[in-house]
Amino acid sequence: PSHDISPVGVYVVNCDLRGLYLQQIDDFVHEGKVYGSSGRNADRIIKTFQSRPNTTGVMLTGYKGTGKSMLAKLTSEKCSAVGVPTIIVNADFTENTDFFPFIQSISNPSLVIFDEFEKTHDKNAQERILTLLDGVYPSKKLFILTTNYIYRVDENLANRPGRIFYSFEFKSLEEEFILEYCQDLS
């Protein structure tokens, strides 16, 4: 059975004795100026997602504190503005046989964020997640995977354009970010 997420907002996947469920949490709200290319990249991701008929994957990889989570949160905030809910997966539910049907049963287009993907999903779990990104389960989902260590991500995820449409590498704070920030300080 399919179900619609309402109201649009941010939800986290949880599990108890009754099974998997979504718990609404506070929406991501960025206050203040967005420095660098994060705002443009979030718009680009959403525009691409809206133009594609099915799944779109995005990999955000790099060091802590370089903007991965900010881009994911901005994308979520902008998705909410156009009626697309966000689902956060911050634990490995892949051994639960209900997980994949549960995610795919969500009928409205959705943003699904796997934060710190390589930390919460070992190689076996990552292989199981390939089916979500392959379109085996037909639905319109935008998957964002954040990772600090790309070498710990299954190569079948990291190196497949059909699964990962965009891959953003965050090596350090970008020059544009630093210059804009310094200009605002002066």
PDB file of all heavy atoms in Angstrom, residues 14-23 96 98 102:
ATOM      1  N   ASN A  14      12.201   5.828  11.934  1.00  0.00           N
ATOM      2  CA  ASN A  14      12.391   5.139  13.210  1.00  0.00           C
ATOM      3  C   ASN A  14      11.792   3.747  13.117  1.00  0.00           C
ATOM      4  O   ASN A  14      11.032   3.442  12.197  1.00  0.00           O
ATOM      5  CB  ASN A  14      11.706   5.902  14.352  1.00  0.00           C
ATOM      6  CG  ASN A  14      12.518   7.090  14.810  1.00  0.00           C
ATOM      7  OD1 ASN A  14      13.726   7.001  14.953  1.00  0.00           O
ATOM      8  ND2 ASN A  14      11.856   8.207  15.035  1.00  0.00           N
ATOM      9  N   CYS A  15      12.112   2.918  14.095  1.00  0.00           N
ATOM     10  CA  CYS A  15      11.593   1.558  14.128  1.00  0.00           C
ATOM     11  C   CYS A  15      11.308   1.168  15.573  1.00  0.00           C
ATOM     12  O   CYS A  15      12.103   1.470  16.466  1.00  0.00           O
ATOM     13  CB  CYS A  15      12.621   0.600  13.517  1.00  0.00           C
ATOM     14  SG  CYS A  15      12.026  -1.087  13.330  1.00  0.00           S
ATOM     15  N   ASP A  16      10.160   0.525  15.775  1.00  0.00           N
ATOM     16  CA  ASP A  16       9.846  -0.032  17.082  1.00  0.00           C
ATOM     17  C   ASP A  16       9.210  -1.406  16.859  1.00  0.00           C
ATOM     18  O   ASP A  16       9.273  -1.946  15.757  1.00  0.00           O
ATOM     19  CB  ASP A  16       8.959   0.916  17.912  1.00  0.00           C
ATOM     20  CG  ASP A  16       7.594   1.189  17.301  1.00  0.00           C
ATOM     21  OD1 ASP A  16       7.159   0.433  16.399  1.00  0.00           O
ATOM     22  OD2 ASP A  16       6.944   2.164  17.722  1.00  0.00           O
ATOM     23  N   LEU A  17       8.584  -1.960  17.879  1.00  0.00           N
ATOM     24  CA  LEU A  17       8.008  -3.300  17.762  1.00  0.00           C
ATOM     25  C   LEU A  17       6.924  -3.402  16.691  1.00  0.00           C
ATOM     26  O   LEU A  17       6.686  -4.468  16.134  1.00  0.00           O
ATOM     27  CB  LEU A  17       7.442  -3.744  19.109  1.00  0.00           C
ATOM     28  CG  LEU A  17       8.482  -3.948  20.209  1.00  0.00           C
ATOM     29  CD1 LEU A  17       7.799  -4.267  21.526  1.00  0.00           C
ATOM     30  CD2 LEU A  17       9.469  -5.025  19.822  1.00  0.00           C
ATOM     31  N   ARG A  18       6.276  -2.280  16.396  1.00  0.00           N
ATOM     32  CA  ARG A  18       5.232  -2.288  15.364  1.00  0.00           C
ATOM     33  C   ARG A  18       5.814  -2.199  13.960  1.00  0.00           C
ATOM     34  O   ARG A  18       5.127  -2.448  12.989  1.00  0.00           O
ATOM     35  CB  ARG A  18       4.267  -1.121  15.586  1.00  0.00           C
ATOM     36  CG  ARG A  18       3.479  -1.243  16.894  1.00  0.00           C
ATOM     37  CD  ARG A  18       2.775   0.027  17.175  1.00  0.00           C
ATOM     38  NE  ARG A  18       3.830   1.040  17.384  1.00  0.00           N
ATOM     39  CZ  ARG A  18       3.629   2.254  17.812  1.00  0.00           C
ATOM     40  NH1 ARG A  18       2.423   2.681  18.039  1.00  0.00           N
ATOM     41  NH2 ARG A  18       4.622   3.082  18.004  1.00  0.00           N
ATOM     42  N   GLY A  19       7.075  -1.795  13.847  1.00  0.00           N
ATOM     43  CA  GLY A  19       7.706  -1.675  12.532  1.00  0.00           C
ATOM     44  C   GLY A  19       8.275  -0.284  12.285  1.00  0.00           C
ATOM     45  O   GLY A  19       8.484   0.502  13.208  1.00  0.00           O
ATOM     46  N   LEU A  20       8.505   0.005  11.022  1.00  0.00           N
ATOM     47  CA  LEU A  20       9.080   1.285  10.608  1.00  0.00           C
ATOM     48  C   LEU A  20       8.010   2.365  10.574  1.00  0.00           C
ATOM     49  O   LEU A  20       6.858   2.103  10.233  1.00  0.00           O
ATOM     50  CB  LEU A  20       9.703   1.154   9.219  1.00  0.00           C
ATOM     51  CG  LEU A  20      10.901   0.208   9.129  1.00  0.00           C
ATOM     52  CD1 LEU A  20      11.192  -0.137   7.674  1.00  0.00           C
ATOM     53  CD2 LEU A  20      12.122   0.822   9.782  1.00  0.00           C
ATOM     54  N   TYR A  21       8.410   3.575  10.933  1.00  0.00           N
ATOM     55  CA  TYR A  21       7.486   4.705  10.872  1.00  0.00           C
ATOM     56  C   TYR A  21       8.285   5.987  10.709  1.00  0.00           C
ATOM     57  O   TYR A  21       9.508   6.012  10.920  1.00  0.00           O
ATOM     58  CB  TYR A  21       6.595   4.768  12.122  1.00  0.00           C
ATOM     59  CG  TYR A  21       7.348   5.033  13.403  1.00  0.00           C
ATOM     60  CD1 TYR A  21       7.484   6.323  13.908  1.00  0.00           C
ATOM     61  CD2 TYR A  21       7.934   3.983  14.119  1.00  0.00           C
ATOM     62  CE1 TYR A  21       8.176   6.564  15.092  1.00  0.00           C
ATOM     63  CE2 TYR A  21       8.622   4.214  15.298  1.00  0.00           C
ATOM     64  CZ  TYR A  21       8.739   5.505  15.772  1.00  0.00           C
ATOM     65  OH  TYR A  21       9.436   5.742  16.933  1.00  0.00           O
ATOM     66  N   LEU A  22       7.601   7.049  10.284  1.00  0.00           N
ATOM     67  CA  LEU A  22       8.217   8.364  10.145  1.00  0.00           C
ATOM     68  C   LEU A  22       7.810   9.235  11.313  1.00  0.00           C
ATOM     69  O   LEU A  22       6.637   9.293  11.675  1.00  0.00           O
ATOM     70  CB  LEU A  22       7.779   9.033   8.838  1.00  0.00           C
ATOM     71  CG  LEU A  22       8.219   8.357   7.553  1.00  0.00           C
ATOM     72  CD1 LEU A  22       7.612   9.079   6.347  1.00  0.00           C
ATOM     73  CD2 LEU A  22       9.731   8.314   7.444  1.00  0.00           C
ATOM     74  N   GLN A  23       8.800   9.911  11.897  1.00  0.00           N
ATOM     75  CA  GLN A  23       8.535  10.849  12.984  1.00  0.00           C
ATOM     76  C   GLN A  23       8.907  12.241  12.500  1.00  0.00           C
ATOM     77  O   GLN A  23      10.044  12.471  12.076  1.00  0.00           O
ATOM     78  CB  GLN A  23       9.366  10.486  14.218  1.00  0.00           C
ATOM     79  CG  GLN A  23       9.189  11.451  15.360  1.00  0.00           C
ATOM     80  CD  GLN A  23      10.078  11.084  16.548  1.00  0.00           C
ATOM     81  OE1 GLN A  23      10.771  10.073  16.547  1.00  0.00           O
ATOM     82  NE2 GLN A  23      10.049  11.921  17.561  1.00  0.00           N
ATOM     83  N   ASN A  96      16.206  -4.936   7.645  1.00  0.00           N
ATOM     84  CA  ASN A  96      14.770  -5.029   7.877  1.00  0.00           C
ATOM     85  C   ASN A  96      14.101  -5.167   6.504  1.00  0.00           C
ATOM     86  O   ASN A  96      14.182  -4.264   5.677  1.00  0.00           O
ATOM     87  CB  ASN A  96      14.277  -3.768   8.596  1.00  0.00           C
ATOM     88  CG  ASN A  96      12.816  -3.800   8.937  1.00  0.00           C
ATOM     89  OD1 ASN A  96      12.006  -4.350   8.196  1.00  0.00           O
ATOM     90  ND2 ASN A  96      12.464  -3.179  10.046  1.00  0.00           N
ATOM     91  N   ASP A  98      11.295  -4.818   5.525  1.00  0.00           N
ATOM     92  CA  ASP A  98      10.257  -3.829   5.250  1.00  0.00           C
ATOM     93  C   ASP A  98      10.819  -2.472   4.814  1.00  0.00           C
ATOM     94  O   ASP A  98      10.061  -1.619   4.350  1.00  0.00           O
ATOM     95  CB  ASP A  98       9.380  -3.613   6.488  1.00  0.00           C
ATOM     96  CG  ASP A  98       8.573  -4.843   6.845  1.00  0.00           C
ATOM     97  OD1 ASP A  98       8.273  -5.632   5.928  1.00  0.00           O
ATOM     98  OD2 ASP A  98       8.259  -5.016   8.037  1.00  0.00           O
ATOM     99  N   PHE A 102       8.953   0.125   2.407  1.00  0.00           N
ATOM    100  CA  PHE A 102       8.480   1.277   3.190  1.00  0.00           C
ATOM    101  C   PHE A 102       8.854   2.580   2.498  1.00  0.00           C
ATOM    102  O   PHE A 102       8.002   3.458   2.312  1.00  0.00           O
ATOM    103  CB  PHE A 102       9.074   1.214   4.599  1.00  0.00           C
ATOM    104  CG  PHE A 102       8.756   2.405   5.458  1.00  0.00           C
ATOM    105  CD1 PHE A 102       7.504   2.528   6.056  1.00  0.00           C
ATOM    106  CD2 PHE A 102       9.697   3.392   5.679  1.00  0.00           C
ATOM    107  CE1 PHE A 102       7.202   3.629   6.849  1.00  0.00           C
ATOM    108  CE2 PHE A 102       9.410   4.486   6.470  1.00  0.00           C
ATOM    109  CZ  PHE A 102       8.158   4.614   7.048  1.00  0.00           C
TER     110      PHE A 102
END
